[in-house]
Amino acid sequence: DGDDAGDVGTTGHDAVENWLNSWIALGVRPKDIVLFLKKDSDPRAIAFARAVERFFITHPQYLPITSEIRVGVKATKTMPFIAGTLDILLWNTTTSEVEVWDWKSSNNVSDSYALQVAAYRYAFQKMTGIQTAPFCGIVKGSKWSDKFDVFFVKDPDAALRAHVHATYLYNYFEDGTEKLVPDKVIIKA
Protein backbone atom coordinates (compact mmCIF):
# COMPACT_ATOMS: atom_id res chain seq x y z
CA ASP A 1 0.00 0.00 0.00
CA GLY A 2 1.43 3.39 -1.06
CA ASP A 3 0.24 5.26 2.04
CA ASP A 4 1.69 2.56 4.28
CA ALA A 5 5.07 2.78 2.51
CA GLY A 6 4.99 6.57 2.85
CA ASP A 7 4.31 6.29 6.59
CA VAL A 8 7.21 3.85 6.97
CA GLY A 9 9.51 6.17 5.02
CA THR A 10 8.44 9.23 7.02
CA THR A 11 8.89 7.45 10.35
CA GLY A 12 12.34 6.20 9.33
CA HIS A 13 13.42 9.58 7.95
CA ASP A 14 12.21 11.36 11.11
CA ALA A 15 14.26 9.02 13.30
CA VAL A 16 17.34 9.53 11.12
CA GLU A 17 16.87 13.31 11.24
CA ASN A 18 16.53 13.35 15.04
CA TRP A 19 19.51 11.00 15.46
CA LEU A 20 21.67 13.16 13.18
CA ASN A 21 20.58 16.39 14.89
CA SER A 22 21.54 14.89 18.25
CA TRP A 23 24.92 13.89 16.82
CA ILE A 24 25.47 17.39 15.43
CA ALA A 25 24.43 19.06 18.71
CA LEU A 26 26.50 16.79 20.97
CA GLY A 27 29.46 16.27 18.63
CA VAL A 28 29.30 12.51 19.27
CA ARG A 29 27.41 9.88 17.29
CA PRO A 30 24.56 8.52 19.43
CA LYS A 31 24.98 4.79 20.05
CA ASP A 32 21.52 3.50 19.13
CA ILE A 33 19.31 5.03 16.45
CA VAL A 34 16.35 2.94 17.68
CA LEU A 35 16.08 5.29 20.66
CA PHE A 36 15.06 8.00 18.17
CA LEU A 37 12.13 6.03 16.72
CA LYS A 38 8.56 6.37 17.90
CA LYS A 39 7.39 3.69 20.29
CA ASP A 40 5.92 0.72 18.40
CA SER A 41 7.42 1.83 15.07
CA ASP A 42 6.90 -0.40 12.08
CA PRO A 43 9.80 -2.90 11.77
CA ARG A 44 10.46 -1.58 8.24
CA ALA A 45 11.10 1.93 9.62
CA ILE A 46 13.42 0.43 12.22
CA ALA A 47 15.31 -1.50 9.52
CA PHE A 48 15.68 1.63 7.39
CA ALA A 49 16.99 3.66 10.35
CA ARG A 50 19.42 0.86 11.23
CA ALA A 51 20.63 0.83 7.60
CA VAL A 52 21.48 4.55 7.77
CA GLU A 53 23.18 4.02 11.12
CA ARG A 54 25.22 1.18 9.59
CA PHE A 55 26.21 3.44 6.68
CA PHE A 56 27.89 5.77 9.18
CA ILE A 57 29.48 2.92 11.13
CA THR A 58 31.03 1.50 7.95
CA HIS A 59 31.95 4.94 6.54
CA PRO A 60 33.60 6.70 9.49
CA GLN A 61 35.08 9.38 7.22
CA TYR A 62 31.65 11.04 7.09
CA LEU A 63 30.50 13.54 9.69
CA PRO A 64 27.08 15.21 9.51
CA ILE A 65 27.07 18.98 9.04
CA THR A 66 23.33 19.59 8.89
CA SER A 67 20.23 17.50 8.32
CA GLU A 68 17.00 18.30 6.49
CA ILE A 69 17.94 21.74 5.18
CA ARG A 70 15.40 23.61 3.09
CA VAL A 71 16.88 24.90 -0.14
CA GLY A 72 15.46 26.97 -2.95
CA VAL A 73 16.25 29.39 -5.72
CA LYS A 74 13.97 31.74 -7.59
CA ALA A 75 13.22 31.14 -11.23
CA THR A 76 15.30 33.00 -13.81
CA LYS A 77 15.19 33.05 -17.60
CA THR A 78 17.42 29.99 -17.71
CA MET A 79 16.50 28.17 -14.50
CA PRO A 80 13.10 27.14 -13.16
CA PHE A 81 12.13 27.59 -9.53
CA ILE A 82 13.82 24.92 -7.41
CA ALA A 83 12.88 24.17 -3.82
CA GLY A 84 12.93 21.21 -1.52
CA THR A 85 14.56 19.62 1.47
CA LEU A 86 18.11 18.40 1.14
CA ASP A 87 18.47 15.33 3.38
CA ILE A 88 22.05 15.72 4.58
CA LEU A 89 25.28 17.61 4.12
CA LEU A 90 28.28 15.52 5.07
CA TRP A 91 31.87 16.50 5.74
CA ASN A 92 34.27 13.98 4.23
CA THR A 93 37.26 13.99 6.57
CA THR A 94 39.38 12.17 3.96
CA THR A 95 38.88 14.69 1.13
CA SER A 96 37.92 17.77 3.20
CA GLU A 97 34.85 18.30 1.00
CA VAL A 98 31.22 19.05 1.72
CA GLU A 99 29.05 16.41 0.09
CA VAL A 100 25.32 16.39 -0.70
CA TRP A 101 23.57 13.11 0.13
CA ASP A 102 20.01 11.82 0.07
CA TRP A 103 18.32 8.98 2.00
CA LYS A 104 15.92 6.72 0.14
CA SER A 105 13.69 4.09 1.69
CA SER A 106 11.84 3.12 -1.48
CA ASN A 107 12.12 -0.42 -2.82
CA ASN A 108 13.78 0.68 -6.06
CA VAL A 109 16.18 3.45 -6.96
CA SER A 110 14.97 5.60 -9.82
CA ASP A 111 17.14 7.68 -12.15
CA SER A 112 14.84 10.58 -11.26
CA TYR A 113 16.54 10.66 -7.84
CA ALA A 114 19.69 11.89 -9.60
CA LEU A 115 17.75 14.89 -10.91
CA GLN A 116 16.31 15.66 -7.48
CA VAL A 117 19.56 15.53 -5.52
CA ALA A 118 21.43 17.46 -8.24
CA ALA A 119 18.80 20.21 -8.12
CA TYR A 120 19.14 20.41 -4.33
CA ARG A 121 22.92 20.57 -4.65
CA TYR A 122 22.60 23.45 -7.12
CA ALA A 123 20.15 25.33 -4.89
CA PHE A 124 22.38 24.87 -1.83
CA GLN A 125 25.43 26.16 -3.70
CA LYS A 126 23.50 29.17 -5.06
CA MET A 127 22.07 30.01 -1.64
CA THR A 128 25.33 29.73 0.29
CA GLY A 129 28.17 30.17 -2.21
CA ILE A 130 29.68 26.98 -0.77
CA GLN A 131 31.04 24.61 -3.39
CA THR A 132 30.35 20.95 -2.76
CA ALA A 133 32.02 17.79 -4.02
CA PRO A 134 31.63 17.21 -7.78
CA PHE A 135 29.14 14.37 -7.20
CA CYS A 136 26.12 13.60 -5.03
CA GLY A 137 25.44 10.47 -3.02
CA ILE A 138 22.32 8.46 -2.36
CA VAL A 139 21.95 5.85 0.37
CA LYS A 140 19.09 3.42 -0.21
CA GLY A 141 18.35 1.78 3.09
CA SER A 142 16.63 -1.57 3.24
CA LYS A 143 13.28 -1.90 4.95
CA TRP A 144 14.04 -5.53 5.84
CA SER A 145 17.51 -5.42 7.41
CA ASP A 146 20.32 -3.00 8.24
CA LYS A 147 21.72 -3.33 4.72
CA PHE A 148 22.10 -0.38 2.40
CA ASP A 149 23.25 0.43 -1.12
CA VAL A 150 25.23 3.51 -2.11
CA PHE A 151 24.73 5.25 -5.43
CA PHE A 152 26.60 8.23 -6.84
CA VAL A 153 25.39 10.91 -9.22
CA LYS A 154 28.65 11.17 -11.12
CA ASP A 155 27.66 14.22 -13.16
CA PRO A 156 25.28 16.41 -11.14
CA ASP A 157 25.58 19.20 -13.73
CA ALA A 158 24.15 16.91 -16.44
CA ALA A 159 21.46 15.73 -14.00
CA LEU A 160 20.62 19.37 -13.23
CA ARG A 161 20.27 20.13 -16.96
CA ALA A 162 17.92 17.14 -17.29
CA HIS A 163 15.94 18.42 -14.28
CA VAL A 164 15.64 21.86 -15.89
CA HIS A 165 14.43 20.44 -19.21
CA ALA A 166 12.03 18.03 -17.51
CA THR A 167 10.59 20.89 -15.45
CA TYR A 168 10.09 23.10 -18.51
CA LEU A 169 8.52 20.21 -20.41
CA TYR A 170 6.18 19.43 -17.53
CA ASN A 171 5.24 23.11 -17.14
CA TYR A 172 4.61 23.40 -20.89
CA PHE A 173 2.08 20.57 -20.86
CA GLU A 174 0.47 21.52 -17.55
CA ASP A 175 0.07 25.31 -17.99
CA GLY A 176 -3.56 25.01 -19.12
CA THR A 177 -3.12 26.62 -22.52
CA GLU A 178 -4.02 25.12 -25.87
CA LYS A 179 -1.02 23.80 -27.71
CA LEU A 180 -2.77 23.04 -31.00
CA VAL A 181 -5.51 25.18 -32.46
CA PRO A 182 -7.62 24.10 -35.41
CA ASP A 183 -7.23 25.91 -38.71
CA LYS A 184 -10.24 28.20 -39.16
CA VAL A 185 -9.51 28.92 -42.82
CA ILE A 186 -10.69 26.42 -45.36
CA ILE A 187 -8.14 26.10 -48.10
CA LYS A 188 -9.71 25.58 -51.50
CA ALA A 189 -7.93 23.69 -54.14
Side-chain angles (χ1 to χ4, degrees):
D1 175 62
D3 289 340
D4 181 51
D7 291 343
V8 167
T10 299
T11 299
H13 271 77
D14 288 349
V16 167
E17 178 185 1
N18 292 333
W19 180 75
L20 288 166
N21 286 336
S22 177
W23 182 354
I24 293 163
L26 298 174
V28 177
R29 180 170 45 88
K31 295 228 183 276
D32 191 356
I33 200 167
V34 171
L35 299 174
F36 294 85
L37 283 150
K38 294 179 203 171
K39 187 178 178 182
D40 300 323
S41 287
D42 187 297
R44 294 170 295 173
I46 296 168
F48 170 74
R50 285 270 190 225
V52 172
E53 180 181 46
R54 186 163 171 260
F55 167 79
F56 282 102
I57 291 168
T58 59
H59 294 80
Q61 75 272 26
Y62 287 120
L63 298 175
I65 298 170
T66 188
S67 175
E68 298 293 321
I69 180 173
R70 293 200 181 269
V71 294
V73 291
K74 293 180 181 180
T76 65
K77 288 185 179 185
T78 58
M79 185 65 61
F81 170 72
I82 295 173
T85 303
L86 189 156
D87 281 348
I88 186 77
L89 287 175
L90 297 177
W91 177 254
N92 185 325
T93 60
T94 303
T95 64
S96 296
E97 290 182 300
V98 174
E99 298 179 12
V100 174
W101 285 76
D102 202 42
W103 312 123
K104 294 297 180 192
S105 59
S106 51
N107 293 329
N108 299 305
V109 175
S110 165
D111 287 342
S112 66
Y113 296 157
L115 280 59
Q116 175 193 23
V117 73
Y120 292 168
R121 174 182 176 264
Y122 170 81
F124 172 77
Q125 290 182 153
K126 284 302 238 185
M127 288 172 57
T128 65
I130 297 170
Q131 290 301 303
T132 64
F135 63 87
C136 302
I138 296 172
V139 173
K140 183 195 146 319
S142 171
K143 288 187 274 187
W144 309 109
S145 71
D146 68 348
K147 295 192 178 355
F148 61 88
D149 294 304
V150 173
F151 299 88
F152 289 102
V153 181
K154 292 188 326 183
D155 189 348
D157 294 333
L160 177 64
R161 285 190 300 276
H163 171 80
V164 168
H165 293 297
T167 300
Y168 283 134
L169 186 62
Y170 175 83
N171 290 344
Y172 173 79
F173 285 113
E174 297 298 321
D175 71 2
T177 63
E178 289 183 78
K179 306 304 180 234
L180 299 172
V181 291
D183 182 12
K184 299 290 184 188
V185 178
I186 298 174
I187 301 174
K188 296 186 179 184

